[in-house]
Amino acid sequence: MGMSVFLKLIDFILFFFFLVIAVAAPLIDAQTCLPLTFFPDFLINLKQWYGHHYGDYLIIEKPHFFVGLVWLELLFQWPLALLNLYAFLASKSWCNTTCLIYGASVLTSMVAILAELLGSGKASNDLLMMYSPFLGLGVLCILRGLIQNSSKTSGSRPKSSRIPALARKKKA
């Protein structure tokens, strides 16, 4: 019973994160690498306000590695986030796999971003607090995938398989 409640809590947290990503990636993050003419002024102003308010020099300066990570987010992580939203809503069994893949990708991206923020000495505590939850998201997605997988493969075997059924037919 305890593991079930724990998984439901993780799923709730992840669902919230995936909702945020489903909206923010194409509307806000995509401004980093797509022409601004694709976006309404209020979204451009929102992102500029965020960049200046939190001193997010990655958003303002757009270093090449960061633009590459945003492309990774848009082309790989965002579709996985949408798949995970669907998987949670429809109780799909493959959700553990997509969470694991998503988590590994996000964790890798966030390690690179946080290493830059910490190593540069330019990041304020507020800016670090804006990015840090996404590191936790990556770890939580990986744990969600591993916990679900490990509970399904705890030594149980399928009740029937094709080979034993064929063997029974030959004996009869």
Side-chain angles (χ1 to χ4, degrees):
M1 182 70 180
M3 184 59 84
S4 169
V5 171
F6 181 65
L7 283 176
K8 286 186 189 303
L9 176 62
I10 289 175
D11 288 352
F12 177 78
I13 293 167
L14 291 179
F15 188 82
F16 172 75
F17 265 110
F18 291 138
L19 273 177
V20 169
I21 290 159
V23 173
L27 298 179
I28 305 296
D29 297 345
Q31 293 177 42
T32 300
C33 50
L34 295 176
L36 292 180
T37 56
F38 290 179
F39 304 94
D41 288 341
F42 78 93
L43 289 177
I44 296 168
N45 293 338
L46 176 65
K47 186 168 182 181
Q48 288 174 344
W49 171 85
Y50 160 79
H52 293 292
H53 182 76
Y54 286 96
D56 192 337
Y57 67 95
L58 297 175
I59 296 290
I60 296 166
E61 297 172 12
K62 299 181 185 180
H64 294 298
F65 90 95
F66 184 72
V67 173
L69 290 175
V70 172
W71 275 114
L72 174 68
E73 178 190 15
L74 294 174
L75 298 176
F76 185 70
Q77 294 171 0
W78 182 64
L80 277 172
L82 295 177
L83 280 172
N84 283 328
L85 282 172
Y86 171 72
F88 283 138
L89 290 173
S91 299
K92 295 295 184 181
S93 61
W94 43 262
C95 178
N96 52 359
T97 303
T98 53
C99 275
L100 190 59
I101 294 167
Y102 181 87
S105 182
V106 168
L107 182 65
T108 304
S109 296
M110 291 314 305
V111 166
I113 289 170
L114 288 170
E116 162 61 28
L117 293 175
L118 291 169
S120 72
K122 296 181 187 179
S124 67
N125 285 337
D126 287 342
L127 183 59
L128 290 171
M129 293 304 292
M130 290 300 292
Y131 280 97
S132 296
F134 294 98
L135 181 70
L137 169 65
V139 170
L140 201 56
C141 282
I142 291 170
L143 288 175
R144 171 60 170 87
L146 293 176
I147 290 170
Q148 190 67 13
N149 281 333
S150 65
S151 67
K152 285 186 175 180
T153 60
S154 59
S156 63
R157 295 175 66 179
K159 292 183 181 176
S160 66
S161 71
R162 195 172 164 97
I163 295 172
L166 291 173
R168 283 192 297 264
K169 285 182 182 178
K170 286 182 180 180
K171 287 181 183 178

